[in-house]
Amino acid sequence: MSRLAKRFASLARDGRKALNTYIVAGDPVPEATVPAMHALVAGGADLIELGVPFSDPEAEGPTIQAGIERALAHGVTLGDVMDMVSAFRRDDRDTPVVLMGYLNPFLRMGYEDFCTQAVAADVDGVIVVNLPPEEAGTFQEALRSRHMDLVLLVAPTTTAERAAYIAGQGSGFLYYVSYKGVTGARHADAADVAKRLTGIRAVAGGLPVLVGFGIKDGASAAAIAPHADGVVVGSALVDTMGSTPVAGIGNRLKAQVRDIRDALD
Amino acid sequence: MSRSNRVPYEAPTDDGRFGDYGGRFVAETLIHALDELTRLYASVSRDSAFQAALARELKDYVGRPTPLYRADRLTEHAGGARIYLKREDLNHTGAHKINNTVGQAMLASRMGKTRLIAETGAGQHGVATATVAARLGLECRVYMGSEDIARQSINVYRMKLLGAEVAPVNAGSRTLKDAMNEAMRDWVTNVDNTHYIIGSVAGPHPYPMLVRDFQAVIGNEAKEQCLAAEGRLPDLLVACVGGGSNAMGLFYPFVDDDGVDIVGVEAGGEGLGTGRHAAPLNAGTPGVLHGSRTYLMDDESGQIAETHSISAGLDYPGVGPEHAFWKDLGRARYASVTDDEALAAFRVLNQTEGIMPALESSHAVAWTLREAARRPREDIILVNLSGRGDKDIHTVAAIDGIEV
Ligand SMILES: Cc1ncc(COP(=O)(O)O)c(C=O)c1O
């Protein structure tokens, strides 16, 4: 069983919602990332989504763009990101880590090379914002043959028929984008999300559905969570990474995640 | 292979592929809008009323057909093959860009969209979008890198006079690629009421196809005009390549005419060896940016490189996927000229023909001057003069040390 499947099975057993936390690898400095990942887990995160810096992040709002720029100022590459996951794994064998980014760095490394290194680093899967399932074939095969997951996204504009197709193509979990727009732009509207999620969960074939975009704190997480298998928090954490002196990041992240965890449970 | 038994060129496939290039590498939120646009475009392609209305627009509003002009003094200056200029600079608003914006605005109206957005580098596409928005009474927002706002200030003011909002983009290299990122972000947010008019044969499917088709009026006219003037097709077509729309517009109708050589000219900036250029087909590798797989300028870790060109309209690290396909097929060759060569050609065309070309188009003229000298007098070279150079007067004057 994959690390993601194991984690979702144990959450289901306990009747708890998944808390998935996103930070940008290398933000604000490369040394901050591994301690920050441990702080997320200490605060109660069930999954970590590690952002792979890319020069042209066309679906990100200003907060995550700024986090990516801070990382790129240190020349953080996809190879570096996997080294960070390896280092994290020395002390944490259980928390699933999914890399989230844009296709070009993966393409440039080569899917085979990436998969080899990702397996060695114990990466559990990838989310590629600009890779819809129609374009994913080769990468998906490479990932699947190494038992890594390709997590796919469903948007408010996705038709019901297409949502079923996407659910059939993806693995790990299904990522529902709560609103039309870039990351960090708005609050997720619980009523909208609830309306859409009933249909999506019906076609998800047992794949857990997590909701991301616009979930910033305990209140917004608690409003969305009843309709889903879990939530994703990103911009709010990246904001903390950018506005906190490096030495203080761990404690602040842990407290921030703890608040959201408490609201969920 | 003789032409009679050759399979006619047909691309893209239904899923938007030009060989290994093109496709639809976008966030899921946009897929529905792209599907809708693809379906609508397929239906209007077969709709004779739509095609007739478009032809009327191009004639009465844009001022087409544009002349095919035999440039005798330029020919004499080069000293070789006969040079013809396809005068896209004489279109309303001063460049080929409006051929596409008129067509896409008609599509936007059919979809009931009330708002147009665009990215722009040189400002010509922004002006052309603001123009059709004004004419149709649609709201308009144009994204432009702050570096380009500084060097194309005349076009910025023109857009404002036309009632458009110009949104400065301060991210990255503050040029065309960053403007395109920001336009994509706007579109993801406002996709219900907004149509994104991409200004070149770039972006996700169906844009490379539909922009090519709207620009193909250039090549269709040029072919007829050349046959009328010379009784035969040209030996060589030349156009500058930024995203590649003026080039593809000229080239595409000649794709099955095997006797016609095709050359696209990229921005060599300070020289390909310096790394300061915008020539992905000459010096790039295949990758994915802005919705399609194509040649790109990126570093070994896949970050998109900063580009340089004296010409804002060519200062872009990618290129339309069909050009990538044609490069690999060998149907076209892609050359480059430097900033200095383009500037020299800008001056030559002013002084031999009384025509002020855009700095973008000056790249095509510069390469043509080199090539014409190597070819016999009987050869015909047809150059796309994609736009006029008024917008570049400040740039050239600054180089001359003059304040205007
Ligand atoms: C006059 C002119 N020519 C050429 C270009 C480059 O675009 P494309 O390669 O799509 O024709 C531009 C773009 O701004 C332009 O203004």
Side-chain angles (χ1 to χ4, degrees), chain A residues 53-61 65 69 72 75-78 103-109 111 129-135 153-159 162 166 177 179-182 185-186, chain B residues 15 17 22-33 35 171-172 177-178 180-182 184-186 188-192 285-291 293 296 298-305:
Chain A
F54 179 55
S55 54
D56 295 78
E58 62 203 24
E60 311 302 339
Q65 281 181 55
E69 275 171 28
L72 284 178
V76 174
T77 65
L78 179 54
L103 188 61
N104 204 53
F106 297 92
L107 201 58
R108 196 61 142 87
M109 180 174 279
Y111 297 150
V129 179
N130 60 344
L131 189 69
E134 289 85 349
E135 306 289 355
L153 299 111
V154 173
T157 52
T158 307
T159 61
R162 185 173 164 80
I166 293 173
V177 175
Y179 58 76
K180 292 167 222 159
V182 295
R186 297 197 234 164
Chain B
D15 51 0
R17 269 165 236 283
R24 242 187 212 178
F25 295 86
V26 294
E28 174 62 24
T29 309
L30 293 177
I31 295 285
H32 182 69
D35 277 342
K177 104 178 152 66
D178 311 287
M180 194 145 174
N181 290 334
E182 212 50 46
M184 301 271 268
R185 291 179 188 126
D186 181 317
V188 164
T189 307
N190 300 299
V191 63
D192 291 338
T285 51
V288 165
L289 178 68
H290 293 153
R293 183 168 189 277
L296 291 182
D298 61 0
D299 67 17
E300 66 286 351
S301 63
Q303 308 300 344
I304 306 305

Side-chain angles (χ1 to χ4, degrees), chain B residues 11-177:
Chain B
T13 58
D14 286 344
D15 51 0
R17 269 165 236 283
F18 301 89
D20 282 342
Y21 303 103
R24 242 187 212 178
F25 295 86
V26 294
E28 174 62 24
T29 309
L30 293 177
I31 295 285
H32 182 69
L34 294 170
D35 277 342
E36 184 187 13
L37 185 60
T38 305
R39 270 194 305 273
L40 172 67
Y41 184 66
S43 86
V44 302
S45 303
R46 295 184 301 264
D47 175 351
S48 56
F50 182 94
Q51 296 301 328
L54 176 60
R56 253 193 327 273
E57 287 288 287
L58 291 175
K59 176 170 175 290
D60 298 336
Y61 189 66
V62 177
R64 303 202 70 91
T66 58
L68 182 68
Y69 168 70
R70 198 179 73 195
D72 287 341
R73 294 234 313 137
L74 187 70
T75 297
E76 204 178 298
H77 178 91
R82 222 158 34 247
I83 302 170
Y84 279 85
L85 302 176
K86 180 61 174 164
R87 297 291 306 276
E88 291 301 299
D89 60 314
L90 295 178
N91 283 322
H92 179 43
T93 70
H96 68 291
K97 296 288 183 187
I98 196 153
N99 301 328
N100 169 44
T101 60
V102 160
Q104 285 204 46
M106 287 173 63
L107 295 176
S109 295
R110 288 252 178 145
M111 291 184 288
K113 306 283 183 183
T114 56
R115 182 171 176 268
L116 300 178
I117 57 169
E119 83 295 338
T120 199
Q124 288 301 127
H125 175 59
V127 166
T129 302
T131 298
V132 296
R135 175 134 186 281
L136 297 174
L138 303 176
E139 194 187 328
C140 180
R141 187 163 219 239
V142 179
Y143 291 92
M144 190 168 188
S146 49
E147 161 105 6
D148 292 338
I149 286 181
R151 59 179 164 169
Q152 301 284 337
S153 58
I154 294 179
N155 275 342
V156 175
Y157 188 53
R158 278 175 85 188
M159 286 184 265
K160 289 179 181 164
L161 288 174
L162 288 160
E165 184 193 346
V166 180
V169 178
N170 285 309
S173 54
R174 305 186 168 89
T175 57
L176 185 51
K177 104 178 152 66

